[in-house]
Amino acid sequence: MNCELFCTFAQNMDNKQATLELGAKPVGRLLAQYAMPAIVAMTASSLYNIIDRAMIGQMVGPEAIAGLGITFPFMNLSGAFGAAVGVGASTCISVKLGQRDYKTAEYLLGNTITLNLIIGFLFMAVSLIFLNPILRFFGASDTTLPYAREFMTVILLGNIITHMYFGMNAVLRAAGKPRHAMYATLFTVGCNILLVVAFVWWFRWGIRGAALATITSQSLALCWQMWVFSDQKELLHLKKGIYKLKADLVRNIIAIGISPFLMNATACVVVIFMNNQFVRYGGDMAVGAYSIANSVVMVLFMFVMGMNQGMQPIVGYNYGAEKYDRMFRCLWLTIAVSTTILLVGWCLSMLFPSQIARVFTADPTLISMAARGIRLNMIVFFVVASQAVITNFFQCIGKVKISIFLSLSRQLFLLIPLAYILPLFLGLDGVWYSMCISDFCSFSMTLPLLFLYMKKIKNNGK
């Protein structure tokens, strides 16, 4: 018994020491330690998305790719609710760990689970009831509606699992366990790929098989995550009395989570609008081209998201500990690495757009449209890194209003007006050009806001 108590005490001390390192270890080493697992996980996730869409495009057909493109807004909207809880809770946990308030951090863990259960169920129920009208509103035609409906029915039935899986992964990173979060993602991706091959290629279940593979793999990963948090030796662990919602904790979670929620919800609105614009000016094939181009963008952007996930606990902890020099060093290093990654991706996309499009489809018309779309979409894509990292930085330190403004500026305030006006003069190309122009304009607004905040914090503190 004494030995067991000693082991528990020793593990708790190790967990606390790992957390305290966020305020003491060199920032570069910390960022590599936290960002690399996230990048590996995100890269693996991107690989799965490519294989998933490529298999659907090659085996089911170009109409299925277009139908899958119609589901992007739905996935973004579901992700918006998940991010509101997962990102909000993980940021709050990081700050509380920086303040060494471990009891509140445990209550945040319990409230995260409860909120994910409630929101996940409500989203599933409402969406299933109005599925057809929603998909029509998102831009589905008579051709693409059956594919989109078949895919989203399965995804929505597993919506609670998806919310819980992403929420627990965010908490794992905040609790100083980036490798555990990486293992969960790698397992999900590996299982997903195997199941997609089995369900789509072997059993010929089509687009429904791809959705089943996603939910099944996330379910298995969630079981492992809950097992990790059930270990009483962990600094943050599941126990009685932490699941009842506390108004102050929920307010803090939602206050911080509102920024990523609006970012994802805005992405949903944008994709709905863009799908309808592509249908209007180019038909279902243009929607398919947008789906392919968007997949390429997301593959590259996953690297930036991985860097942001690695940055989040470091910035949150050092902000809570009032170590502002370390906080800003982490920010600038994240910007530099993220921009370099997107520059490499930009070069590859500009040089080999047709080869990239062929991965997703064998249809020559769709290849031609997608290749042109990739190039036009990504003219200045590398500047998105700075905008995304700085927006995430303000979210990490709880500056919600600034983060919300930056989240909305790129897509809602700039992209939608441009995507409406430019096609009136340039046709289909105008829809594509609207994306790169909005990227550059939002980047031009982000840096001045950061410099103003840096000046303020140096003069007045928080």
Side-chain angles (χ1 to χ4, degrees):
M1 184 67 179
N2 289 335
C3 180
E4 184 179 345
L5 288 174
F6 175 77
C7 290
T8 301
F9 173 78
Q11 182 162 347
N12 282 333
M13 290 300 294
D14 288 342
N15 289 332
K16 289 185 179 180
Q17 183 60 37
T19 303
L20 292 174
E21 283 183 350
L22 291 168
K25 199 171 181 178
V27 171
R29 289 172 59 191
L30 269 178
L31 188 59
Q33 176 184 333
Y34 278 79
M36 283 307 297
I39 289 174
V40 170
M42 288 293 181
T43 304
S45 181
S46 300
L47 178 63
Y48 159 70
N49 286 328
I50 290 176
I51 292 174
D52 190 20
R53 285 159 177 76
M55 190 162 290
I56 289 171
Q58 299 286 355
M59 299 199 66
V60 186
E63 294 85 2
I65 281 283
L68 198 62
I70 297 298
T71 69
F72 283 163
F74 234 141
M75 304 291 280
N76 285 336
L77 189 58
S78 175
F81 286 99
V85 178
V87 176
S90 63
T91 300
C92 289
I93 288 172
S94 293
V95 173
K96 291 302 176 184
L97 291 176
Q99 297 169 347
R100 306 189 188 185
D101 185 355
Y102 304 121
K103 184 177 180 180
T104 302
E106 281 195 331
Y107 278 110
L108 284 164
L109 169 62
N111 277 223
T112 302
I113 292 173
T114 304
L115 281 173
N116 272 319
L117 287 172
I118 294 171
I119 295 174
F121 176 79
L122 291 175
F123 184 87
M124 173 194 70
V126 173
S127 298
L128 284 173
I129 291 171
F130 301 103
L131 184 55
N132 269 14
I134 292 172
L135 290 173
R136 287 288 189 185
F137 178 69
F138 287 177
S141 66
D142 291 338
T143 302
T144 57
L145 179 63
Y147 296 104
R149 179 181 174 80
E150 191 175 6
F151 183 81
M152 283 310 305
T153 299
V154 177
I155 293 294
L156 287 171
L157 288 172
N159 189 64
I160 294 176
I161 293 169
T162 300
H163 278 209
M164 290 291 292
Y165 162 71
F166 284 113
M168 291 300 97
N169 240 25
V171 175
L172 278 172
R173 285 187 294 270
K177 294 185 175 296
R179 288 187 179 275
H180 286 70
M182 178 186 71
Y183 297 150
T185 305
L186 289 177
F187 171 81
T188 305
V189 170
C191 185
N192 234 327
I193 291 173
L194 292 175
L195 291 177
V196 163
V197 172
F199 294 166
V200 178
W201 181 71
W202 185 261
F203 294 116
R204 303 287 175 171
W205 288 349
I207 200 168
R208 176 168 53 102
L212 283 169
T214 297
I215 298 302
T216 303
S217 58
Q218 288 177 352
S219 300
L220 295 173
L222 177 60
C223 290
W224 180 77
Q225 290 169 331
M226 300 306 285
W227 178 78
V228 171
F229 280 114
S230 66
D231 188 350
Q232 301 297 307
K233 299 175 184 178
E234 294 294 338
L235 182 62
L236 294 181
H237 59 269
L238 304 176
K239 62 181 183 181
K240 292 181 180 179
I242 64 173
Y243 305 104
K244 184 178 180 181
L245 294 180
K246 291 180 174 288
D248 57 334
L249 297 185
V250 173
R251 278 196 300 268
N252 288 336
I253 290 171
I254 300 303
I256 294 174
I258 194 67
S259 176
F261 170 82
L262 288 174
M263 185 183 297
N264 283 275
T266 301
C268 171
V269 173
V270 167
V271 175
I272 293 169
F273 181 79
M274 298 298 280
N275 277 340
N276 281 282
Q277 288 294 87
F278 277 112
V279 168
R280 178 182 301 172
Y281 290 97
D284 286 337
M285 278 294 189
V287 176
Y290 177 50
S291 176
I292 292 173
N294 208 23
S295 296
V296 175
V297 166
M298 288 309 300
V299 166
L300 296 174
F301 198 67
M302 285 292 184
F303 289 96
V304 179
M305 290 175 66
M307 293 298 299
N308 277 340
Q309 289 179 6
M311 178 183 78
Q312 183 264 323
I314 304 170
V315 166
Y317 184 98
N318 284 283
Y319 179 75
E322 299 186 2
K323 296 182 177 181
Y324 301 125
D325 287 344
R326 289 175 57 81
M327 179 182 74
F328 282 122
R329 282 205 301 275
C330 182
L331 168 66
W332 288 115
L333 185 57
T334 305
I335 289 174
V337 175
S338 298
T339 302
T340 301
I341 292 170
L342 288 197
L343 273 170
V344 173
W346 175 81
C347 290
L348 293 174
S349 299
M350 288 296 174
L351 291 172
F352 309 108
S354 297
Q355 290 83 345
I356 293 171
R358 285 193 186 95
V359 172
F360 297 89
T361 181
D363 187 276
T365 302
L366 186 54
I367 290 172
S368 176
M369 293 182 72
R372 180 167 177 78
I374 290 170
R375 276 185 169 157
L376 295 181
N377 185 18
M378 298 185 64
I379 292 175
V380 294
F381 183 64
F382 50 87
V383 304
V384 173
S386 298
Q387 201 270 350
V389 172
I390 294 169
T391 299
N392 184 67
F393 166 77
F394 283 117
Q395 173 187 300
C396 290
I397 61 175
K399 301 300 178 183
V400 179
K401 291 181 180 179
I402 300 175
S403 181
I404 289 173
F405 171 75
L406 293 177
S407 298
L408 297 180
S409 65
R410 176 174 170 242
Q411 301 189 82
L412 195 62
F413 302 150
L414 294 168
L415 179 55
I416 289 181
L418 287 168
Y420 178 78
I421 295 170
L422 292 181
L424 298 176
F425 304 96
L426 302 175
L428 180 60
D429 281 356
V431 187
W432 292 111
Y433 278 122
S434 65
M435 291 184 272
C436 61
I437 294 174
S438 65
D439 286 342
F440 185 78
C441 291
S442 61
F443 162 75
S444 302
M445 293 188 298
T446 302
L447 286 178
L449 283 174
L450 175 63
F451 292 140
L452 284 173
Y453 177 73
M454 291 178 66
K455 183 177 180 180
K456 178 182 177 182
I457 204 170
K458 288 178 181 177
N459 294 334
N460 304 317
K462 293 185 181 181

